[in-house]
Amino acid sequence: MQKGNTQIALILASFIISNIVVLVVSQGQLRVGFYSKTCPNAESIIRKVVQKAVADNPRNAAILLRLHFHDCFVQGCDGSILLRNDEDGELKAQGNLGVVGFDIIDSAKARLENLCPGIVSCADIVSLAARDAVSLVNGPFYDVPTGRRDGRVSKMSLAENLPDVDDSINVLKSKFKEKGLSDKDLVLLSGGAHTIGATACFFMQKRLYNFTPGGGSDPAINPGFLPQLKDKCPFNGDVNVRIPLDWSTQNVFDVKILRNIREGNAVIASDARLYDDRMTRQIVDSYITSSAASFNQDFAEAMVKIGNIGAKTGSEGEIRRACNAVN
Ligand code: HEM
C-alpha cells in the first residue's frame, strides 16, 4: 500500500515538473531577433511602414500603441484583434470601441509576405509596430522578444473583461493582476501610454455628467480644469469629438501626464483613478520626481511584459497569410 502511494506521489511529481518545464520553455521561446535568419529585414520593414504612417499622421503612433494593448489583453498577444471578418469577433466588444490601425499592420504584412512568405506573424507585427510607434514620438526604443504565433479565435464574449474607463482602481488593479501585471505596470502602461493620443467624448460622459457615486462630475477633476473639459465635451454633445488624453503635450511621449494626474488634470477617469489608491499614488509621485530616463526604461520593461501575455509559440496557432483572417 505504502509502495503504491509512493508510486502515485512520484507520478504526480513528474507530472508537475514536466508541466513546469513546458510552461518555462513555452514562455522562453520568445526571443529578441527571432527572424534574424528567416527574414532578416522583418524589423526594418515594419519600422519603415510605421515611420511613414506616423509621418503621414502623428495620431497613428497612439493608434498602434493602443492596438497592441487591446490585442494582448484578450487571449494574449496573438493578433486576434486583427480578425475582422466575424460578426461576433472581439473587435465588436464595447471595450474595443475606437480601436483602429489595421491598415498599417496589413500594409507591413503585405510587404513581409512578398519578401518572406509565411514567416512573420501578425502578432509580432503588432508588437514591433507599437515599439516603433512609441520611439517615433520621443518614447524609448527597446528590444522586443519575438516568435509569437497567430491565434485562430476572435470572440466578442472573450473581450468583455477589458479594463473599462469607469472601473474603480481596485478593479483596474485586479484586471492587470489577472494578466500578470503589477500595480507599477498599471501606472507605467496606462499613464505612460496616455501621454499620447486622444479620447472620444463618448468616454467622458459618466465622468463629466453622471459620476458614481453622487451624480454630477467626478470630484477628482480640478475645478479649474472642469469647465475646459465640459466645453470640449458638452452634455448631449457629439460623442465622437476627440480630445487629447494628455492636455499639456499630446503626441509627445513624456511624463507630464503624471503631473496632470496629481493635479486633477487627468482627462479620462481611469487615469484619475491612479491617484485614488495609496500604492498607485506613490508610484505616480515617484516618477514625477525621478528622471525621464528612468520612467522611459521602466515603461519599456512594462511593454515587454505586456507583450509576453499569453504568447502562442512552438506549434500553437499559425502564421497567418493575411492578418484579417485565419488561414
Ligand atoms: C488602465 C486601463 C485602460 C483604460 C481603461 C483605457 C481606456 C482608454 C480609452 C477610453 C481611450 C480612448 C479611446 C478612444 O476614444 O478612441 C484610450 C486611449 C488610448 N489608450 Fe488606453 N486605457 C487603458 C490602458 C491602456 C494601456 C495599457 C495602453 C497601452 C500600453 C493604452 C493605450 C492607449 C492609447 C495610446 C490611447 C490613444 C488612442 C488614440 O489616440 O486613438 N491604454 N484608452
Side-chain angles (χ1 to χ4, degrees):
M1 185 65 189
Q2 259 187 349
K3 199 176 165 202
N5 279 345
T6 314
Q7 268 175 344
I8 291 171
L10 278 173
I11 291 168
L12 257 176
S14 75
F15 176 77
I16 292 168
I17 289 168
S18 66
N19 273 304
I20 291 172
V21 170
V22 167
L23 193 76
V24 170
V25 169
S26 68
Q27 286 187 346
Q29 278 172 351
L30 291 189
R31 62 181 162 84
V32 175
F34 185 83
Y35 300 109
S36 60
K37 294 220 164 63
T38 50
C39 191
N41 292 329
E43 295 205 17
S44 68
I45 286 170
I46 295 166
R47 186 161 182 82
K48 275 193 195 119
V49 171
V50 174
Q51 257 166 347
K52 179 169 183 326
V54 175
D56 289 350
N57 183 355
R59 229 205 108 194
N60 283 328
I63 283 173
L64 289 169
L65 178 53
R66 185 170 183 232
L67 184 64
H68 184 239
F69 161 51
H70 284 246
D71 184 29
C72 295
F73 256 62
V74 182
Q75 304 180 80
C77 312
D78 69 346
S80 52
I81 186 103
L82 308 171
L83 296 172
R84 345 197 247 296
N85 296 344
D86 295 344
E87 264 308 292
D88 73 336
E90 91 190 34
L91 197 55
K92 301 280 173 3
Q94 158 103 9
N96 279 329
L97 253 169
V99 171
V100 284
F102 306 102
D103 49 331
I104 307 169
I105 304 299
D106 287 346
S107 155
K109 177 66 172 174
R111 283 170 204 223
L112 291 166
E113 283 302 294
N114 250 336
L115 195 71
C116 7
I119 299 290
V120 184
S121 69
C122 299
D124 276 343
I125 299 175
V126 171
S127 205
L128 291 162
R131 180 271 311 269
D132 291 335
V134 166
S135 72
L136 287 168
V137 287
N138 205 39
F141 184 87
Y142 50 91
D143 283 337
V144 175
T146 42
R148 296 169 188 79
R149 292 172 63 85
D150 298 321
R152 294 193 179 98
V153 178
S154 170
K155 283 210 180 322
M156 185 160 72
S157 56
L158 298 172
E160 270 161 9
N161 210 24
L162 274 165
D164 187 275
V165 72
D166 296 308
D167 281 342
S168 69
I169 185 63
N170 284 336
V171 171
L172 290 172
K173 282 166 67 158
S174 75
K175 285 183 176 173
F176 272 62
K177 201 168 173 200
E178 266 170 37
K179 304 289 173 195
L181 299 171
S182 65
D183 293 353
K184 189 172 157 192
D185 297 323
L186 167 64
V187 171
L188 284 161
L189 290 168
S190 62
H194 295 158
T195 177
I196 55 172
T199 179
C201 286
F202 173 84
F203 293 107
M204 300 298 294
Q205 294 306 302
K206 277 199 187 149
R207 179 161 207 232
L208 293 177
Y209 304 108
N210 192 16
F211 188 72
T212 317
S217 308
D218 179 354
I221 306 175
N222 184 323
F225 187 44
L226 182 61
Q228 297 180 53
L229 286 177
K230 286 188 162 176
D231 181 51
K232 299 275 187 214
C233 297
F235 183 63
N236 276 342
D238 180 355
V239 291
N240 295 313
V241 167
R242 298 185 70 79
I243 59 170
L245 286 166
D246 176 351
W247 212 252
S248 42
T249 50
Q250 190 190 9
N251 293 334
V252 182
F253 187 99
D254 57 25
V255 293
K256 293 211 179 93
I257 188 157
L258 300 177
R259 251 174 234 283
N260 295 349
I261 291 171
R262 184 178 68 183
E263 285 155 19
N265 297 333
V267 172
I268 51 173
S270 57
D271 285 350
R273 300 289 76 81
L274 298 176
Y275 222 64
D276 281 2
D277 168 83
R278 195 173 53 86
M279 270 306 287
T280 49
R281 193 185 314 134
Q282 271 175 10
I283 300 165
V284 170
D285 286 343
S286 73
Y287 285 112
I288 291 175
T289 49
S290 75
S291 68
S294 86
F295 179 79
N296 283 5
Q297 190 183 330
D298 292 355
F299 176 81
E301 277 171 24
M303 283 297 289
V304 171
K305 235 171 132 179
I306 198 174
N308 284 339
I309 299 176
K312 296 179 171 58
T313 55
S315 58
E316 297 169 294
E318 62 184 16
I319 304 297
R320 268 179 233 151
R321 282 188 289 274
C323 293
N324 66 339
V326 296
N327 289 343

Short mmCIF file of all heavy atoms in Angstrom, two decimals, residues 38-64:
data_model
loop_
_atom_site.label_atom_id
_atom_site.label_comp_id
_atom_site.label_asym_id
_atom_site.label_seq_id
_atom_site.Cartn_x
_atom_site.Cartn_y
_atom_site.Cartn_z
N THR A 38 15.54 33.92 -40.65
CA THR A 38 14.45 33.56 -41.57
C THR A 38 13.91 34.74 -42.36
O THR A 38 13.36 34.57 -43.45
CB THR A 38 13.30 32.91 -40.79
OG1 THR A 38 12.99 33.78 -39.68
CG2 THR A 38 13.66 31.53 -40.27
N CYS A 39 14.03 35.94 -41.81
CA CYS A 39 13.55 37.13 -42.52
C CYS A 39 14.29 38.34 -41.93
O CYS A 39 13.72 39.13 -41.18
CB CYS A 39 12.03 37.27 -42.34
SG CYS A 39 11.30 38.52 -43.41
N PRO A 40 15.58 38.44 -42.27
CA PRO A 40 16.45 39.40 -41.58
C PRO A 40 15.98 40.85 -41.63
O PRO A 40 16.29 41.63 -40.73
CB PRO A 40 17.80 39.26 -42.30
CG PRO A 40 17.69 38.06 -43.16
CD PRO A 40 16.26 37.67 -43.31
N ASN A 41 15.22 41.20 -42.67
CA ASN A 41 14.78 42.61 -42.76
C ASN A 41 13.41 42.87 -42.15
O ASN A 41 12.87 43.97 -42.29
CB ASN A 41 14.77 43.07 -44.22
CG ASN A 41 16.18 43.13 -44.77
OD1 ASN A 41 17.12 43.41 -44.02
ND2 ASN A 41 16.34 42.85 -46.05
N ALA A 42 12.86 41.85 -41.48
CA ALA A 42 11.48 41.99 -40.99
C ALA A 42 11.32 43.25 -40.13
O ALA A 42 10.42 44.06 -40.36
CB ALA A 42 11.09 40.75 -40.20
N GLU A 43 12.19 43.42 -39.14
CA GLU A 43 12.01 44.55 -38.23
C GLU A 43 12.18 45.88 -38.94
O GLU A 43 11.47 46.85 -38.66
CB GLU A 43 12.95 44.43 -37.01
CG GLU A 43 12.61 43.21 -36.17
CD GLU A 43 13.03 43.29 -34.71
OE1 GLU A 43 13.31 44.40 -34.22
OE2 GLU A 43 13.08 42.22 -34.06
N SER A 44 13.12 45.94 -39.87
CA SER A 44 13.34 47.24 -40.54
C SER A 44 12.18 47.56 -41.49
O SER A 44 11.81 48.72 -41.67
CB SER A 44 14.70 47.31 -41.23
OG SER A 44 14.72 46.42 -42.30
N ILE A 45 11.59 46.53 -42.07
CA ILE A 45 10.43 46.78 -42.95
C ILE A 45 9.25 47.32 -42.13
O ILE A 45 8.61 48.31 -42.50
CB ILE A 45 10.04 45.49 -43.70
CG1 ILE A 45 11.09 45.22 -44.79
CG2 ILE A 45 8.64 45.59 -44.31
CD1 ILE A 45 11.00 43.89 -45.45
N ILE A 46 9.02 46.69 -41.01
CA ILE A 46 7.91 47.16 -40.15
C ILE A 46 8.18 48.60 -39.72
O ILE A 46 7.31 49.47 -39.76
CB ILE A 46 7.74 46.22 -38.92
CG1 ILE A 46 7.32 44.83 -39.40
CG2 ILE A 46 6.74 46.79 -37.92
CD1 ILE A 46 7.43 43.73 -38.37
N ARG A 47 9.42 48.86 -39.36
CA ARG A 47 9.76 50.21 -38.90
C ARG A 47 9.49 51.25 -40.00
O ARG A 47 8.97 52.33 -39.74
CB ARG A 47 11.22 50.25 -38.46
CG ARG A 47 11.61 51.57 -37.85
CD ARG A 47 12.87 51.49 -37.00
NE ARG A 47 13.15 52.80 -36.41
CZ ARG A 47 12.58 53.25 -35.32
NH1 ARG A 47 11.66 52.53 -34.69
NH2 ARG A 47 12.87 54.44 -34.84
N LYS A 48 9.85 50.90 -41.22
CA LYS A 48 9.64 51.85 -42.33
C LYS A 48 8.15 52.13 -42.53
O LYS A 48 7.75 53.28 -42.75
CB LYS A 48 10.23 51.29 -43.63
CG LYS A 48 11.69 51.61 -43.73
CD LYS A 48 12.24 51.35 -45.13
CE LYS A 48 13.76 51.33 -45.03
NZ LYS A 48 14.37 50.07 -45.42
N VAL A 49 7.35 51.08 -42.46
CA VAL A 49 5.91 51.27 -42.64
C VAL A 49 5.36 52.17 -41.51
O VAL A 49 4.57 53.09 -41.75
CB VAL A 49 5.18 49.89 -42.65
CG1 VAL A 49 3.68 50.06 -42.61
CG2 VAL A 49 5.60 49.10 -43.88
N VAL A 50 5.82 51.92 -40.29
CA VAL A 50 5.32 52.72 -39.16
C VAL A 50 5.82 54.17 -39.28
O VAL A 50 5.06 55.12 -39.04
CB VAL A 50 5.76 52.09 -37.81
CG1 VAL A 50 5.39 52.98 -36.64
CG2 VAL A 50 5.12 50.71 -37.65
N GLN A 51 7.07 54.32 -39.68
CA GLN A 51 7.62 55.67 -39.87
C GLN A 51 6.75 56.48 -40.84
O GLN A 51 6.42 57.63 -40.58
CB GLN A 51 9.03 55.58 -40.45
CG GLN A 51 10.10 55.83 -39.41
CD GLN A 51 11.47 55.41 -39.89
OE1 GLN A 51 11.63 54.72 -40.91
NE2 GLN A 51 12.48 55.82 -39.15
N LYS A 52 6.39 55.86 -41.93
CA LYS A 52 5.59 56.56 -42.93
C LYS A 52 4.20 56.88 -42.37
O LYS A 52 3.69 57.99 -42.53
CB LYS A 52 5.48 55.71 -44.21
CG LYS A 52 4.64 56.41 -45.25
CD LYS A 52 4.69 55.79 -46.61
CE LYS A 52 3.90 56.56 -47.65
NZ LYS A 52 2.69 57.22 -47.23
N ALA A 53 3.63 55.91 -41.68
CA ALA A 53 2.28 56.12 -41.14
C ALA A 53 2.28 57.27 -40.13
O ALA A 53 1.37 58.10 -40.12
CB ALA A 53 1.78 54.83 -40.48
N VAL A 54 3.31 57.34 -39.29
CA VAL A 54 3.36 58.40 -38.27
C VAL A 54 3.69 59.74 -38.91
O VAL A 54 3.18 60.79 -38.50
CB VAL A 54 4.35 58.03 -37.13
CG1 VAL A 54 4.50 59.16 -36.13
CG2 VAL A 54 3.87 56.75 -36.42
N ALA A 55 4.53 59.71 -39.96
CA ALA A 55 4.84 60.96 -40.67
C ALA A 55 3.57 61.48 -41.36
O ALA A 55 3.28 62.68 -41.36
CB ALA A 55 5.95 60.74 -41.69
N ASP A 56 2.79 60.57 -41.93
CA ASP A 56 1.53 60.97 -42.59
C ASP A 56 0.54 61.53 -41.58
O ASP A 56 -0.19 62.47 -41.86
CB ASP A 56 0.87 59.78 -43.30
CG ASP A 56 1.65 59.36 -44.54
OD1 ASP A 56 2.57 60.11 -44.93
OD2 ASP A 56 1.35 58.27 -45.09
N ASN A 57 0.48 60.91 -40.41
CA ASN A 57 -0.45 61.36 -39.38
C ASN A 57 0.08 60.96 -38.00
O ASN A 57 0.07 59.77 -37.65
CB ASN A 57 -1.83 60.70 -39.63
CG ASN A 57 -2.87 61.19 -38.64
OD1 ASN A 57 -2.55 61.94 -37.71
ND2 ASN A 57 -4.10 60.76 -38.82
N PRO A 58 0.53 61.92 -37.20
CA PRO A 58 1.14 61.61 -35.90
C PRO A 58 0.20 60.82 -34.98
O PRO A 58 0.65 60.11 -34.09
CB PRO A 58 1.43 62.99 -35.29
CG PRO A 58 1.32 63.96 -36.41
CD PRO A 58 0.51 63.35 -37.50
N ARG A 59 -1.09 60.90 -35.24
CA ARG A 59 -2.07 60.14 -34.44
C ARG A 59 -1.83 58.65 -34.51
O ARG A 59 -2.19 57.89 -33.60
CB ARG A 59 -3.48 60.43 -34.99
CG ARG A 59 -4.47 60.82 -33.94
CD ARG A 59 -5.90 60.51 -34.36
NE ARG A 59 -6.41 59.38 -33.58
CZ ARG A 59 -7.50 58.72 -33.89
NH1 ARG A 59 -8.20 59.03 -34.95
NH2 ARG A 59 -7.90 57.73 -33.12
N ASN A 60 -1.22 58.21 -35.61
CA ASN A 60 -1.02 56.77 -35.80
C ASN A 60 -0.13 56.15 -34.73
O ASN A 60 -0.21 54.95 -34.48
CB ASN A 60 -0.46 56.50 -37.19
CG ASN A 60 -1.55 56.59 -38.25
OD1 ASN A 60 -2.71 56.28 -37.97
ND2 ASN A 60 -1.20 57.04 -39.45
N ALA A 61 0.72 56.95 -34.10
CA ALA A 61 1.58 56.38 -33.05
C ALA A 61 0.70 55.87 -31.91
O ALA A 61 0.84 54.73 -31.45
CB ALA A 61 2.56 57.44 -32.55
N ALA A 62 -0.23 56.70 -31.47
CA ALA A 62 -1.14 56.30 -30.37
C ALA A 62 -2.02 55.13 -30.79
O ALA A 62 -2.26 54.19 -30.02
CB ALA A 62 -1.99 57.49 -29.95
N ILE A 63 -2.46 55.19 -32.02
CA ILE A 63 -3.35 54.13 -32.54
C ILE A 63 -2.66 52.77 -32.46
O ILE A 63 -3.25 51.77 -32.02
CB ILE A 63 -3.76 54.49 -33.99
CG1 ILE A 63 -4.84 55.59 -33.95
CG2 ILE A 63 -4.22 53.27 -34.77
CD1 ILE A 63 -5.22 56.16 -35.29
N LEU A 64 -1.39 52.72 -32.84
CA LEU A 64 -0.66 51.45 -32.85
C LEU A 64 -0.36 50.96 -31.43
O LEU A 64 -0.36 49.76 -31.15
CB LEU A 64 0.63 51.58 -33.66
CG LEU A 64 0.40 51.71 -35.16
CD1 LEU A 64 1.69 52.12 -35.88
CD2 LEU A 64 -0.15 50.40 -35.75
#
